[in-house]
Each structure stands twice: as C-alpha cells, then as structure tokens.
Amino acid sequence: MQRTAIFSLLLITSVTLFQRCANPVSPQGGPRDEKPPEMVSCDPPNFNTGFKTGDIRINFNEFINLKNPATEVFVSPPQSKAPDIRTRGKSVLISLDDSLLPQTTYTITFGNAITDLTEGNILRGFSYVMSTGSFLDSLSLQGTILSAFDRKPQKDVLVGFYLPVDTVPVDSMPFVMPPYYVTRSDENGKFILGNLQNRPGRLFAVSDQNGDMFFSQPNEKIAFLDSTI
C-alpha cells in the first residue's frame, strides 16, 4: 500500500508539471547579447599629445559597469595617488589627482574591468593612452607566461617592466617598488606592454594575490628574465 501511494503521488506531480508546461507563455526576447561594450569617443581623444587636464571621459555604446577597478585598472607609469575612476551611464569618468611627469606617455589599462550592465560581457584589453609631451612612445614588449611545472599558460598574472634605480638591486625590484609599466596576462598566458620608452629595464611576472603590485605573499609565484631588455 505504501508503494502504491508513493507512485501515485509522483504520477500526479508529473502530470501537473506537464500541464503547466503546455500553457502558453509570453514570447521571450531575441538572442542573448554576447558582445562587449564598444568605445565610441573619448574626451580628450585617445592617443592624444600635449595632455594637460586631469579629467578624462570615455563614452561607450551602451550602459556599462566597472568591476574591481582597484585591481584591474593600472596606470603606467605609476602614480603615488590612485586615480578616481567611476561610471556614469554609458561613460567612464577618470580624475587623475596626482601630478603628471613632463614629456611622458601614460597608459591606463582596464584589464577586465569594463562590462556591459545587463549581460556582464567583458571588454578585454582596452587602454587609454595620452602623452604630456609632443609625441607618443611607441615601443612594445610581448610574451607568454607558462607554469614551470607543466608548461600550461597562466592567466591574470601581473607582468611588470621595471626601469633601473641606483638604490634598488635588480633582484629586489618586485619586493620594494611598483613596476614602471604593468599589464596582466590573458587566458592564453599572453601579454603585451605597449607605449614603452626607449630605455633598458627588467621584466618580472607575479601572481599578485592581494592587488598591491608587489611580490609580497608566501603563496605568490614569480617569473623573471635574467638579463636586461
């Protein structure tokens, strides 16, 4: 008797669900939006020279969100005071509160921070570039980060190019100073550092766990080239 009662309950439930599924429903929307936001304009324009203002506005074709700007957005060369970065509708607003060096190309790298508001599609690899001088530095450096144990690509690894400082030994750079240029590796372990000065430096990569841009945690991994680039 107990088995018959249980079977009947399951059968009734199944029929009820089937009847509900047969009821007409409102038509759904079109295909899911899988495109990331597109930049439509910048004020001042991207890749501008003679940059003087500390305020930047970047406009997109849809409403956007800014995720984890403290760990995703980098300014190269670094500033002692972090910029104020926020969204307003379809725009990203940036206020550079620190003073800028003369005759210097600056790159603001957004990593995976910019997404559309509705679906969370990520705009990967977007950068804003400006120069306080009359030209843009144009050298670049690219490579791939692999695990030394299994040769698998390593994503989201902090990659930094350090310019030499007389008071800091080379092997101490990632411990005590932020990189002069910085980016992150993508899902294939690849990275590109762009708009570099024509100056020699050293390359390090750190699996930065706390977002401080230093090799500072016991569980962080590090990679480096043993010669000057």
Side-chain angles (χ1 to χ4, degrees):
M1 293 298 292
Q2 291 179 348
R3 292 182 179 178
T4 303
I6 293 173
F7 178 76
S8 299
L9 179 61
L10 292 175
L11 180 61
I12 293 170
T13 303
S14 299
V15 171
T16 302
L17 290 173
F18 178 80
Q19 290 175 342
R20 288 179 179 174
C21 291
N23 290 335
V25 297
S26 300
Q28 302 298 313
R32 180 179 181 272
D33 177 19
E34 297 182 350
K35 294 183 178 180
E38 295 180 9
M39 187 273 290
V40 294
S41 65
C42 298
D43 183 23
N46 203 358
F47 301 101
N48 69 87
T49 57
F51 182 88
K52 298 184 184 303
T53 179
D55 296 322
I56 302 165
R57 186 184 186 107
I58 306 173
N59 303 310
F60 295 88
N61 65 336
E62 59 182 319
F63 291 96
I64 58 169
N65 189 26
L66 202 61
K67 298 176 61 179
N68 306 319
T71 56
E72 288 289 340
V73 182
F74 303 117
V75 180
S76 301
Q79 296 191 297
S80 58
K81 185 182 297 184
D84 177 33
I85 304 176
R86 60 195 184 280
T87 60
R88 181 181 296 170
K90 298 180 180 180
S91 302
V92 172
L93 306 180
I94 306 168
S95 294
L96 299 173
D97 298 326
D98 202 359
S99 59
L100 299 174
L101 298 172
Q103 305 298 318
T104 301
T105 298
Y106 284 86
T107 301
I108 304 176
T109 305
F110 287 87
N112 296 328
I114 300 174
T115 69
D116 62 29
L117 188 60
T118 55
E119 299 292 346
N121 296 312
I122 301 172
L123 176 62
R124 304 180 190 276
F126 176 75
S127 296
Y128 180 87
V129 182
M130 75 284 192
S131 173
T132 57
S134 58
F135 64 91
L136 294 168
D137 293 320
S138 58
L139 295 180
S140 64
L141 178 64
Q142 59 184 327
T144 305
I145 307 297
L146 303 175
S147 168
F149 298 99
D150 55 21
R151 307 291 291 178
K152 291 183 178 179
Q154 302 296 296
K155 67 177 182 177
D156 295 330
V157 174
L158 189 78
V159 182
F161 189 67
Y162 295 75
L163 300 184
V165 177
D166 292 340
T167 57
V168 179
V170 170
D171 57 3
S172 298
M173 285 179 171
F175 293 94
V176 300
M177 58 185 288
Y180 200 78
Y181 300 101
V182 64
T183 188
R184 283 190 187 274
S185 60
D186 64 16
E187 61 273 12
N188 298 313
K190 297 184 180 298
F191 68 87
I192 299 178
L193 289 161
N195 300 102
L196 309 181
Q197 297 181 28
N198 186 18
R199 295 174 61 183
R202 304 299 287 257
L203 187 68
F204 289 86
V206 177
S207 60
D208 187 21
Q209 301 297 313
N210 58 358
D212 65 354
M213 293 199 296
F214 292 92
F215 182 45
S216 58
Q217 301 293 318
N219 60 336
E220 292 178 344
K221 302 174 184 178
I222 190 169
F224 59 91
L225 291 182
D226 59 2
S227 58
T228 299
I229 296 176

